Amino acid sequence: METMALAILAVTAVFVLFRYRQRKQSEEFPPDLKSAPESTGLKSSAPLRISTLPTGTTTVAVSHVHKSFNGTHAVNDVSFEVRSGEILGIVGPNGAGKTTAIRMLMDIIGADSGQITILGASAGQDTRDTIGYLPEERGLYRKIAVAESLRYMAQLKGLLPEEAGKVRDQWLDRLGMSPHKGKKIEQLSKGMSQIIQLAATVIHDPELIILDEPFSGLDPVNREMLKTIILELKECGRTIILSTHQMNEVEALCDRVLMINKGSVVLHGELHEIRSRFRNNSVFLEYNGSIDNLPGVAEVKDHGSYVELFLNQDTSANQILSRLVERGVTIDRFEVSTPSLNEIFIKVAREES
Amino acid sequence: MKKTMIIARHEFSQVVRRKGFYILTLGLPFIAFLGLFINDIVQDLDKEPDTPDHQNIGYVDDMGVFTGYTQQANLTFIPYPDQDLAQQDLMAGEINEYFVIPESYLQTGLVDRYTTERELEVPLKTWYQIRDFLLNNLLASEVNDDLLNRAKNPVQLNSWHLDETGAVSEPPDELQAILVPYFFGLLFIMSIFMTSGYLMHSVTEEKENRIMEILLSSVSVNQLLRGKIIGLGIAGLIQIVIWLVTIRVFLEVGSVDISVLEDIQFPPSMLLFGVIYFLLGYGLFSVLYAGLGAMSTSPRESQQMVGIFVMPAVVPLVLMSVIGENPEGGIAQALSFIPITAPTTVMMRLANINIPPWELALSITLLASSIALGLWLVARMFRAYLLMYGKRPTLREIVRTLR
């Protein structure tokens, strides 16, 4: 009888101890709601655990990959490569197949056919710990404190508990989120929880980082912070795949672009090469004087405060600039027209349809 | 395995830090015993009318032979010349009820009883009182007292059970046959449902909060599922152990006087197979519930779908009397082989009999195989539906996925 009573007491004691431990852990990070600043910001002075990797080797190789759902081709014969230290922007409209392609890279869904090689390992081999993934549909445990949540995520990526705690604190400090680490995720703003998600993505110092729509839900300050971090990771030799439909962010960050529409690759190459390929040989000009009958100009389009000069095929912008100077035209602005990625995308999408 | 254990530890810590877990684990035994105490008290209160004030029962004797033996303990039979007078006195509250013995009584045995009480059936006590009155009047002059008493109570049946060797074993009493299996079946199925419920809640919550894709970028579906099953299974096992230990303690502590539980014996085999069947039963239900969680868009929706599995799982409890009275019968055997009903049925049967080893082996094999098959199917569903947000798959889509 006594044994039974002791057993109950022992089990109850285990529970009480467990509760005490949980409480003690949360007390280590007391939620200081009054003093904690609501905004976040990058603290450049804080040390960051990013090792430097060699660049130029192939990190991701995708070859003729297909995936269909119920007879619909979500991804159709997609091939591309990403080299280490490079940022690849995957762009395309909603439903183009970007997320499906990324989920196949992560081996979350399997490809119907084709070959995917990541860091030298083919599909089926576990490369999860070397990849940091921020999915488009993302969240964290709402009832769990930031610190605990991040440590769990880090441990799932193969970090030991002590190491996980140390790196977590470094990242929180770096992101200006240290005052919030005792708070539950549900107590944070949407932007803040996005920052925590970013920390969870890179906490294990991955070689390959895949970010699906990383800018959605971020205010301009946090958007700039994210850009800085992405560029910093690139500097350290990390390979980054960035999926977004915000073309301006791609233009600002990416080395190469993969444009997908209706599951197929419609454009792939280096960003500057693509832009020069789609250049329409025109210049924007704000001036004072006469530009009538200027040799080499096929058409002049008036935009109000400035004009756009469409040049003949054999005329360069330099030649036009010389002719304007020779004529004695006062030039306030002379800009070679380069199409934005957005314009290129619209043009390609129209041609495709 | 390392990641599986990390997930298991996380899931365990998430469940045991909930207040609801403590309330349920430590509170349920107390609530159950409180219920039994109340039951005892209610029964005691119910017994009070057994010794009521004196009762008067009227009767109209059309045969004209029932004139004596009108006194019984706290009861007087009052003769009436006709039914009108008897009814008048009944309505006036002079008598509690009356009955009419017709002329054809000896041929038909029919007696008409009139009462102002609302009752579903004739109270057994009243039936005995009227029977004794009739028997006394009919036989007292014909036979001696012993014969008369034996006629009133002709048989005390003792039934003995012979085992395979022909040895006589103790006859199971009604309490042991019905209450113990029911109690264990209920406790068992409750634990399994609750523990599996934790798992379903965990899956749907992670799906709803969009954590699932992040998790699947760190671990495989099988690691995730295994970790959850282990972590939450340990929590459930601790819960059931606490309940069982509490019951033992309450039974052994002399100061607890609950008449219903006094005679309960726990066969030792129940403990061993209790653990085995709990683990297997939990394994099966957690796999099924995880599948439901993967398909649902919210915890509320998954709760609504749970009935699909709860209904067949409680069949053994519905058939409690059949299994309790005939634990070796065809129905009990069949339910032991159907994976979804096997854990409860086997526990209910083990309370009364030693189930043949081949039956246990077959039952355990079928149950374990169904878990393996379930895991394979659920892993497919996880891949297909965990990343489907805000939309529930149609039956057709589910069938296509499982093929």
Side-chain angles (χ1 to χ4, degrees):
Chain A
M1 212 294 294
E2 289 81 4
T3 322
M4 292 296 174
L6 278 173
I8 279 197
L9 280 173
V11 175
T12 316
V14 168
F15 274 115
V16 171
L17 272 174
F18 193 84
R19 287 284 293 177
Y20 174 74
R21 218 181 126 202
Q22 298 284 357
R23 188 165 294 167
K24 201 154 170 27
Q25 274 178 3
S26 62
E27 278 169 4
E28 282 176 31
F29 320 114
D32 187 1
L33 295 173
K34 282 179 186 166
S35 61
E38 279 306 309
S39 63
T40 57
L42 201 60
K43 291 184 178 175
S44 57
S45 59
L48 199 55
R49 183 186 177 275
I50 307 175
S51 56
T52 306
L53 293 174
T55 57
T57 54
T58 302
T59 306
V60 178
V62 176
S63 175
H64 303 291
V65 166
H66 287 265
K67 180 71 190 177
S68 59
F69 297 107
N70 304 329
T72 307
H73 290 291
V75 169
N76 188 16
D77 195 25
V78 168
S79 301
F80 63 91
E81 271 192 12
V82 196
R83 290 186 288 273
S84 56
E86 191 174 71
I87 302 179
L88 171 78
I90 301 182
V91 294
N94 295 332
K98 305 189 294 289
T99 298
T100 304
I102 284 174
R103 283 177 179 171
M104 283 192 289
L105 289 180
M106 290 305 305
D107 201 26
I108 291 173
I109 52 174
D112 293 341
S113 63
Q115 180 88 26
I116 297 173
T117 310
I118 292 179
L119 297 159
S122 53
Q125 292 176 276
D126 199 349
T127 52
R128 290 185 182 92
D129 289 355
T130 52
I131 307 175
Y133 176 44
L134 183 73
E136 183 182 8
E137 294 279 0
R138 51 185 175 255
L140 286 168
Y141 296 98
R142 295 178 55 75
K143 303 277 181 194
I144 300 180
V146 168
E148 191 188 343
S149 206
L150 280 178
R151 189 166 57 181
Y152 176 52
M153 292 295 171
Q155 282 185 260
L156 285 184
K157 285 291 188 184
L159 266 62
L160 295 170
E162 308 78 47
E163 195 186 2
K166 201 172 150 190
V167 180
R168 169 203 64 200
D169 290 346
Q170 284 175 353
W171 268 105
L172 286 175
D173 195 26
R174 169 77 167 152
L175 298 169
M177 293 293 288
S178 292
H180 304 282
K181 68 180 177 183
K183 286 184 187 173
K184 289 178 181 172
I185 299 290
E186 65 184 0
Q187 291 175 289
L188 301 181
S189 68
K190 192 183 173 190
M192 281 177 170
S193 56
Q194 293 268 58
I195 296 298
I196 299 299
Q197 282 155 8
L198 175 72
T201 307
V202 294
I203 197 165
H204 58 295
D205 193 19
E207 291 180 48
L208 170 65
I209 298 153
I210 301 176
L211 308 170
D212 198 354
E213 298 292 352
F215 299 102
S216 68
L218 290 182
D219 60 35
V221 175
N222 285 328
R223 195 178 285 244
E224 281 308 308
M225 180 173 75
L226 178 57
K227 278 189 204 171
T228 310
I229 290 172
I230 289 173
L231 290 173
E232 201 170 315
L233 289 165
K234 171 188 152 75
E235 285 300 308
C236 294
R238 297 296 171 281
T239 310
I240 297 161
I241 296 177
L242 187 72
S243 165
T244 180
H245 56 257
Q246 290 175 324
M247 305 293 179
N248 55 332
E249 308 294 5
V250 175
E251 283 175 319
L253 292 168
C254 297
D255 303 298
R256 292 207 293 155
V257 176
L258 179 79
M259 201 176 276
I260 300 181
N261 194 24
K262 293 174 187 166
S264 300
V265 175
V266 291
L267 207 58
H268 180 212
E270 292 194 4
L271 183 62
H272 68 87
E273 183 271 323
I274 287 175
R275 290 172 79 166
S276 57
R277 200 196 310 168
F278 283 84
R279 190 173 286 168
N280 55 9
N281 206 21
S282 69
V283 293
F284 297 113
L285 181 69
E286 275 183 59
Y287 67 100
N288 210 343
S290 171
I291 57 166
D292 293 344
N293 302 319
L294 193 68
V297 175
E299 188 190 340
V300 179
K301 191 174 179 183
D302 193 352
H303 290 284
S305 61
Y306 66 97
V307 293
E308 186 175 5
L309 308 180
F310 291 90
L311 313 184
N312 291 331
Q313 285 292 331
D314 53 350
T315 308
S316 69
N318 282 2
Q319 287 171 318
I320 290 296
L321 183 61
S322 310
R323 285 168 198 168
L324 286 168
V325 174
E326 282 166 16
R327 268 202 192 188
V329 174
T330 309
I331 299 167
D332 295 321
R333 175 188 167 203
F334 184 89
E335 183 187 331
V336 177
S337 157
T338 310
S340 69
L341 205 52
N342 203 36
E343 288 167 327
I344 295 171
F345 177 73
I346 291 168
K347 189 177 178 189
V348 171
R350 275 188 189 148
E351 282 170 7
E352 281 289 314
S353 61
Chain B
M1 195 60 197
K2 193 183 152 202
K3 287 189 179 180
T4 302
M5 293 321 293
I6 292 170
I7 295 168
R9 205 177 311 132
H10 174 79
E11 295 293 336
F12 178 80
S13 73
Q14 290 308 302
V15 168
V16 300
R17 71 169 58 173
R18 285 186 197 157
K19 284 193 186 103
F21 182 81
Y22 287 89
I23 293 168
L24 200 66
T25 308
L26 302 172
L28 195 77
F30 291 99
I31 294 168
F33 281 98
L34 195 68
L36 289 169
F37 271 127
I38 292 169
N39 184 47
D40 267 18
I41 293 164
V42 169
Q43 277 186 353
D44 285 347
L45 288 174
D46 212 28
K47 279 176 190 166
E48 282 175 12
D50 286 352
T51 52
D53 297 336
H54 196 85
Q55 271 198 316
N56 291 319
I57 295 180
Y59 71 98
V60 180
D61 176 19
D62 288 345
M63 272 184 74
V65 296
F66 296 93
T67 51
Y69 304 97
T70 53
Q71 291 296 325
Q72 286 182 18
N74 294 327
L75 175 65
T76 305
F77 289 94
I78 302 169
Y80 284 89
D82 59 56
Q83 211 174 328
D84 289 341
L85 283 171
Q87 185 157 337
Q88 216 175 341
D89 274 8
L90 175 64
M91 300 316 289
E94 296 291 323
I95 54 174
N96 299 84
E97 58 183 82
Y98 75 90
F99 58 93
V100 178
I101 308 162
E103 280 180 42
S104 60
Y105 166 72
L106 278 181
Q107 288 76 43
T108 62
L110 278 175
V111 171
D112 294 314
R113 172 173 171 264
Y114 297 89
T115 175
T116 52
E117 296 293 322
R118 283 187 171 270
E119 52 196 30
L120 287 173
E121 56 183 14
V122 179
L124 211 56
K125 199 175 127 197
T126 308
W127 189 88
Y128 281 122
Q129 287 166 339
I130 295 175
R131 184 201 64 176
D132 287 354
F133 170 73
L134 295 172
L135 274 176
N136 287 340
N137 276 288
L138 287 171
L139 298 179
S141 57
E142 309 289 329
V143 299
N144 62 36
D145 282 355
D146 286 346
L147 210 55
L148 180 60
N149 284 335
R150 191 48 58 234
K152 286 179 188 170
N153 190 5
V155 61
Q156 296 273 10
L157 195 62
N158 275 336
S159 181
W160 300 95
H161 175 258
L162 300 182
D163 63 18
E164 291 83 358
T165 62
V168 176
S169 58
E170 283 288 315
D173 63 15
E174 202 177 333
L175 183 78
Q176 186 80 5
I178 304 290
L179 187 81
V180 173
Y182 182 74
F183 175 73
F184 267 93
L186 194 66
L187 187 72
F188 213 66
I189 206 77
M190 265 175 64
S191 317
I192 288 175
F193 278 157
M194 273 186 293
T195 315
S196 314
Y198 292 144
L199 190 133
M200 187 173 68
H201 185 266
S202 161
V203 170
T204 41
E205 195 181 26
E206 281 172 357
K207 189 180 173 186
E208 194 183 31
N209 290 340
R210 311 290 196 261
I211 307 165
M212 203 47 92
E213 199 167 349
I214 295 174
L215 290 176
L216 291 182
S217 72
S218 304
V219 295
S220 68
V221 170
N222 283 335
Q223 282 173 323
L224 184 68
L225 211 51
R226 276 203 303 262
K228 283 180 183 296
I229 289 173
I230 292 170
L232 298 173
I234 290 170
L237 207 55
I238 287 176
Q239 202 166 45
I240 199 170
V241 165
I242 290 177
W243 289 346
L244 287 174
V245 168
T246 317
I247 290 165
R248 284 296 297 196
V249 170
F250 270 86
L251 286 177
E252 294 199 12
V253 172
S255 58
V256 178
D257 179 24
I258 300 166
S259 58
V260 181
L261 299 178
E262 272 165 10
D263 300 328
I264 289 180
Q265 298 292 319
F266 296 102
S269 59
M270 277 190 80
L271 190 65
L272 172 69
F273 286 105
V275 173
I276 294 173
Y277 272 93
F278 174 80
L279 293 176
L280 290 172
Y282 163 66
L284 178 68
F285 278 93
S286 57
V287 163
L288 295 173
Y289 275 27
L292 277 187
M295 285 192 297
S296 310
T297 55
S298 66
R300 185 184 293 176
E301 193 181 283
S302 60
Q303 285 296 338
Q304 287 166 351
M305 293 201 287
V306 155
I308 302 168
F309 300 121
V310 173
M311 295 305 281
V314 297
V315 164
L317 294 178
V318 176
L319 297 175
M320 169 187 76
S321 55
V322 179
I323 296 168
E325 284 170 13
N326 194 6
E328 287 172 323
I331 291 175
Q333 261 186 335
L335 291 175
S336 304
F337 299 139
I338 300 169
I340 205 161
T341 54
T344 323
T345 310
V346 170
M347 291 316 290
M348 289 168 79
R349 293 175 70 196
L350 275 174
N352 282 329
I353 57 160
N354 288 321
I355 300 176
W358 73 267
E359 275 190 43
L360 285 171
L362 182 60
S363 165
I364 289 171
T365 309
L366 287 172
L367 195 50
S369 309
S370 67
I371 295 170
L373 177 69
L375 264 173
W376 182 75
L377 292 174
V378 167
R380 289 175 74 93
M381 290 177 67
F382 259 53
R383 279 177 170 267
Y385 303 124
L386 271 184
L387 306 178
M388 192 186 266
Y389 302 109
K391 179 183 175 286
R392 195 171 53 192
T394 62
L395 193 62
R396 210 166 151 194
E397 285 171 332
I398 295 167
V399 172
R400 197 183 295 139
T401 307
L402 296 183
R403 272 192 305 193

